Amino acid sequence: MRTELIKAEYGDVETAAKRAAELLGRGEIVAIPTETVYGLAASIYSEKALKEVYSVKGRPQDNPVIVHISAMDMLDGIVAEVPDDALLIADKFWPGPLTMIFNKTDRVSDTITCGMDTVAVRFPSHPVAHAVIEAAGVPLAAPSANLSGKPSPTSAEHCVHDLWGKVPLIIDGGQCEVGVESTVVSMTGDHPVILRPGIISLEQIRELIPSAEVSEAVTRKVRDDEKVMSPGLKYKHYSPECKVTLVKGSLENFASYVQEHYTDGDYAMCFFGDEEKVGIPCISYGTEDDARSQAHSTFAVLRQLDEIGAKRVFVRAPQETGESMAVSNRLMRAAGFDEVVL
Ligand code: TXA
Ligand code: MG
């Protein structure tokens, strides 16, 4: 298949959105930028396109996708009810990097929800994502635009790497500002439950609804046969080709550890300013006390390590709470839960 690449980064959003809408209207799929990561979008009303999303990504058939909207009234018809708490959250965080799970209506295909009776919905703030949904005139189902299991794409180059020749259009909207996927919050119980941490933290949600909590399955390995609220937790995620080990400890201890274990082809993934002390080849992924900078670079650095042929990577672990929880969670899964505590 011929893949078209349209740049929408410096203004010409309309041309890109129009072209995307044409393709989406014909039941084709399109890679689009969002503020979190790039998404691989399909009309929620095209079974052909929805199935194509799963097959192009190689996505397990039991891992549902998120529906993206560009106005609150698009919720009508797809969700059974919007609880008051959800309205509070939407008021504060939509449009933005947050997804809510609601009870669904019959209009939402089982291909989107994998037969679950709930649907995940996000209202992205990225101007290109917004323009594409508006031009398409329908909600768009979109998982992250990576091949299943690989780090999520945070630039058009990453989409080109994974999807060239497999999709008709990739829209280049530059680098994603947030860099990790949206916070996923279930709104179907008596209090909000975070199923996937994102840059909108538990603490921020608790400012609105103090009873909000994080699902215990978020921070541990989930068995293949286990029934969990968010099927995505079951799968190997964000994995580069190289072996990743998460190392928790001070800079001094980290440096001694990696120097002691270093063999040819190893790298450290650390914070800006650590390089000199670490003393083995290093790529930094943000500033130690700035979770947003880490979120922004984590996936790009994991991909870069594969590009340069790293065999093994020792990651200097970030904090585990607040905004850092999102980063820590992605790195833990990239490491397949292989961690060293110093
Ligand atoms: O930031 C994002 O959320 C990006 C951009 C493109 O919007 N999308 C994204 O989609 O990360 P994806 O498919 O890679 O991750 C969706 C997550 C999965 O972990 C999936 O299991 C969960 O959301 N999910 C989707 N529908 C669900 C549902 N009805 N109940 C529970 N979890 C659901
Ligand atoms: Mg994904």
Side-chain angles (χ1 to χ4, degrees):
M1 177 187 292
R2 186 176 160 268
T3 301
E4 202 180 331
L5 180 64
I6 302 184
K7 257 199 184 303
E9 195 179 358
Y10 303 111
D12 199 4
V13 174
E14 244 166 65
T15 310
K18 196 163 156 253
R19 179 72 187 125
E22 266 167 32
L23 290 163
L24 291 163
R26 294 210 298 260
E28 311 247 23
I29 62 177
V30 175
I32 61 167
T34 85
E35 70 277 25
T36 54
V37 300
Y38 277 70
L40 184 56
S43 160
I44 65 162
Y45 300 118
S46 169
E47 272 304 303
K48 167 182 166 259
L50 293 170
K51 293 209 162 95
E52 181 86 357
V53 163
Y54 284 82
S55 69
V56 163
K57 276 183 63 90
R59 186 179 179 92
Q61 303 285 332
D62 62 349
N63 193 9
V65 296
I66 297 172
V67 171
H68 295 69
I69 59 173
S70 57
M72 285 303 276
D73 61 14
M74 280 187 169
L75 286 172
D76 300 345
I78 57 176
V79 312
E81 50 163 357
V82 183
D84 288 346
D85 281 357
L87 285 175
L88 271 180
I89 292 178
D91 237 26
K92 173 96 184 181
F93 297 114
W94 275 0
L98 177 126
T99 296
M100 283 190 274
I101 313 264
F102 300 103
N103 290 318
K104 77 173 192 87
T105 68
D106 290 346
R107 290 195 76 192
V108 181
S109 156
D110 279 343
T111 313
I112 292 172
T113 64
C114 301
M116 295 174 83
D117 46 21
T118 55
V119 62
V121 185
R122 181 158 102 80
F123 187 157
S125 63
H126 194 289
V128 175
H130 185 82
V132 170
I133 306 166
E134 285 287 289
V138 292
L140 300 178
S144 50
N146 52 292
L147 297 179
S148 206
K150 296 287 148 210
S152 295
T154 56
S155 71
E157 291 73 32
H158 297 159
C159 297
V160 165
H161 181 273
D162 283 15
L163 302 176
W164 194 256
K166 297 178 181 154
V167 301
L169 173 64
I170 296 170
I171 301 181
D172 184 350
Q175 280 188 26
C176 301
E177 192 188 330
V178 176
V180 292
E181 307 89 337
S182 59
T183 308
V184 175
V185 193
S186 171
M187 303 305 297
T188 59
D190 56 12
H191 60 273
V193 179
I194 295 183
L195 303 182
R196 179 176 71 184
I199 209 69
I200 293 177
S201 64
L202 171 67
E203 290 76 6
Q204 278 177 289
I205 295 171
R206 277 192 175 158
E207 276 174 26
L208 300 177
I209 303 155
S211 59
E213 58 177 17
V214 176
S215 164
E216 56 80 39
V218 161
T219 47
R220 66 174 172 89
K221 196 168 184 170
V222 173
R223 293 189 320 273
D224 281 353
D225 59 350
E226 201 173 327
K227 195 167 166 19
V228 281
M229 276 174 89
S230 183
L233 291 173
K234 276 194 311 204
Y235 296 103
K236 191 162 190 252
H237 267 314
Y238 321 119
S239 315
E241 300 296 325
C242 53
K243 179 170 166 29
V244 178
T245 303
L246 197 59
V247 184
K248 299 180 176 171
S250 66
L251 174 56
E252 285 67 28
N253 291 344
F254 179 82
S256 334
Y257 181 86
V258 298
Q259 285 166 24
E260 195 180 315
H261 291 82
Y262 177 79
T263 53
D264 210 26
D266 289 355
Y267 281 81
M269 186 167 154
C270 57
F271 300 124
F272 291 118
D274 288 355
E275 298 84 353
E276 209 173 305
K277 277 213 169 123
V278 165
I280 71 163
C282 242
I283 300 186
S284 44
Y285 73 104
T287 308
E288 183 166 7
D289 56 5
D290 179 5
R292 286 185 173 252
S293 71
Q294 297 158 17
H296 181 74
S297 306
T298 293
F299 287 141
V301 169
L302 288 174
R303 281 178 178 258
Q304 196 187 342
L305 286 159
D306 275 347
E307 294 279 303
I308 58 180
K311 292 202 182 72
R312 186 166 56 156
V313 180
F314 300 108
V315 182
R316 202 167 156 228
Q319 298 289 312
E320 286 169 46
T321 52
E323 288 180 334
S324 289
M325 185 187 277
V327 182
S328 148
N329 170 274
R330 301 314 186 277
L331 288 169
M332 216 160 62
R333 287 171 190 278
F337 293 86
D338 180 27
E339 62 173 34
V340 174
V341 183
L342 300 174

